[in-house]
Amino acid sequence: MASITTGGEPIATRELRNRALVRGWLYCVLVVLFALVLVGGATRLTDSGLSITEWKPIHGVIPPLSDADWHEEFEKYRQIPEYQQINQGMSLDAFKRIFWWEWAHRILARGVGFVFALPLLFFWATGRIERRLTPRLLGILALGGLQGAIGWWMVASGLVERTDVSQYRLAMHLTLAATIFAATMIVARGLAPHSEAEAGQATRRFAGLLVILTLVQIYLGGLVAGLDGGMSFNTWPLMDGRLVPGDMFILEPMWRNFFENPKMVQFVHRLGAYIVFAAALWHMISVRRREPGTTHARRALVLFHLVLAQALIGIATLVMQVPLHWALLHQGFALIVLGFAAAHWRGTKGAYPLPSKMIRS
């Protein structure tokens, strides 16, 4: 059967070209998202997140431009508990260093909104967005807007009574960023050509479970970061001299220990790492047995080695007492693991069907 054409060009060819354009755009979004999360991690690790005490979505794009502006911004920072209880006597130059980290984080957050929204509008207006993609892409855009609100909600938790932000809100902020990253990767991967038939149901389900486990582990890492839990108990495999440390249920009610006790939170994060490692190992072995020689099996092998590398980075970061560059490597590599896990899961399902093929079928 001859292929359907429009303007002398096969419809399927045009659809594939449009998919390549949209996919390239989404990969650019992923790069900016990755940078945003890394700068956010640096902002947290340098204790810079409370240096800007107001949320000005439009006016806040412009940093202080004069000495008077800097002194005005610094005076606002001097009113919050972090300055009064921890950074009393900080110089203006020291304030500028933490200010620029937070300002860069906020600028990148605004930037990723434009990098996503403006091309989305263009592709939609020119008919390059397939109907099935519209709710997915609008959903990601909505999550981005929600993420901005949660970011300010997080910062606001450290401006009145606390000297830092709430670990609950920090973990939520980080996990939503990771969710947006994974969702973008899944859509991009669904638009890519696939040379292999879809994997078996068991492979698909377990690949999806690995994505969920990785997201949970990132949430647990956010709790550890929010409590500065990595700064203590810096030995491995023992923790506080034992495989299972004591004093993990010192808070009442008991559930608070899983979110507010640094020792318990770090221990649960360690357990989460072991679970993700074991799951990735099992997945690699089972897929290579069920579907040997396929791209699904090769991806499962790569995913396991990424998880292994992340585990080694995490151990090194811990025993070195969380130096900045290693902590950022650990956070960034967590996104790489998540992104590959999401791409792998989508790969087990195959590409989205072309609209023209769906019509003909």
Side-chain angles (χ1 to χ4, degrees):
M1 178 183 298
S3 60
I4 302 174
T5 62
T6 176
E9 179 184 38
I11 289 180
T13 301
R14 185 185 64 182
E15 290 172 344
L16 289 173
R17 188 179 69 249
N18 288 340
R19 282 191 170 192
L21 290 171
V22 173
R23 188 169 73 251
W25 156 58
L26 291 177
Y27 286 146
C28 290
V29 172
L30 287 170
V31 171
V32 181
L33 283 171
F34 186 84
L36 175 62
V37 173
L38 278 190
V39 172
T43 301
R44 170 61 188 168
L45 289 163
T46 56
D47 293 321
S48 305
L50 298 178
S51 58
I52 301 178
T53 60
E54 296 176 323
W55 189 29
K56 299 177 179 178
I58 305 300
H59 180 66
V61 172
I62 303 173
L65 299 177
S66 66
D67 286 343
D69 291 341
W70 276 114
H71 280 92
E72 179 183 352
E73 202 70 42
F74 189 28
E75 184 58 32
K76 294 174 184 176
Y77 177 68
R78 292 171 65 182
Q79 305 307 310
I80 69 171
E82 181 181 75
Y83 174 84
Q84 296 168 355
Q85 298 179 35
I86 298 177
N87 291 331
Q88 185 81 31
M90 170 185 274
S91 68
L92 180 60
D93 286 340
F95 170 71
K96 288 180 180 180
R97 285 193 291 272
I98 64 172
F99 178 93
W100 284 121
W101 275 118
E102 175 64 7
W103 183 83
H105 184 52
R106 295 193 185 195
I107 285 296
L108 271 174
R110 292 175 174 93
V112 76
F114 283 107
V115 170
F116 193 93
L118 294 182
L120 173 60
L121 179 61
F122 170 77
F123 286 132
W124 177 80
T126 55
R128 289 179 169 88
I129 300 293
E130 298 168 18
R131 183 174 298 179
R132 69 161 53 235
L133 296 183
T134 302
R136 291 174 169 86
L137 295 174
L138 290 178
I140 294 172
L141 182 63
L143 287 178
L146 177 63
Q147 175 72 334
I150 289 178
W152 173 247
W153 181 57
M154 175 189 70
V155 170
S157 68
L159 297 179
V160 180
E161 297 178 352
R162 300 171 58 102
T163 59
D164 56 5
V165 300
S166 162
Q167 73 274 18
Y168 294 98
R169 300 184 190 187
L170 174 66
M172 184 182 300
H173 188 54
L174 175 61
T175 307
L176 183 55
T179 301
I180 294 170
F181 187 86
T184 305
M185 178 65 79
I186 288 168
V187 175
R189 182 63 179 138
L191 294 173
H194 288 62
S195 59
E196 196 82 55
E198 72 173 32
Q201 186 179 68
T203 297
R204 297 197 306 270
R205 287 181 174 177
F206 206 90
L209 176 62
L210 280 170
V211 177
I212 294 172
L213 289 176
T214 306
L215 275 173
V216 170
Q217 182 65 355
I218 287 173
Y219 173 79
L220 294 173
L223 289 178
V224 173
L227 292 168
D228 291 325
M231 303 297 183
S232 54
F233 312 111
N234 301 103
T235 58
W236 187 87
L238 299 182
M239 180 176 174
D240 200 21
R242 301 169 60 182
L243 283 175
V244 181
D247 298 326
M248 291 196 296
F249 294 97
I250 59 176
L251 301 179
E252 295 291 341
M254 186 177 68
W255 64 265
R256 289 179 55 207
N257 290 278
F258 293 93
F259 300 94
E260 301 177 20
N261 181 347
K263 180 181 282 190
M264 172 64 86
V265 170
Q266 189 195 125
F267 181 69
V268 173
H269 187 52
R270 292 189 185 205
L271 290 181
Y274 301 147
I275 291 171
V276 173
F277 179 86
L281 176 61
W282 171 257
H283 183 64
M284 177 193 69
I285 294 171
S286 62
V287 176
R288 289 172 68 84
R289 285 178 176 175
R290 285 196 300 263
E291 304 175 56
T294 63
T295 57
H296 309 308
R298 288 190 288 271
R299 285 196 312 271
L301 177 65
V302 173
L303 179 57
F304 168 72
H305 282 95
L306 289 176
V307 171
L308 173 61
Q310 173 68 346
L312 295 175
I313 292 170
I315 293 169
T317 303
L318 178 71
V319 299
M320 290 189 290
Q321 299 186 4
V322 198
L324 176 62
H325 292 90
W326 277 90
L328 290 179
L329 177 62
H330 187 50
Q331 181 165 311
F333 213 83
L335 271 191
I336 292 174
V337 172
L338 175 64
F340 193 89
H344 171 55
W345 173 71
R346 182 63 240 185
T348 64
K349 296 162 69 69
Y352 298 129
L354 288 171
S356 58
K357 291 185 177 181
M358 293 176 66
I359 292 172
R360 280 180 289 180
S361 62

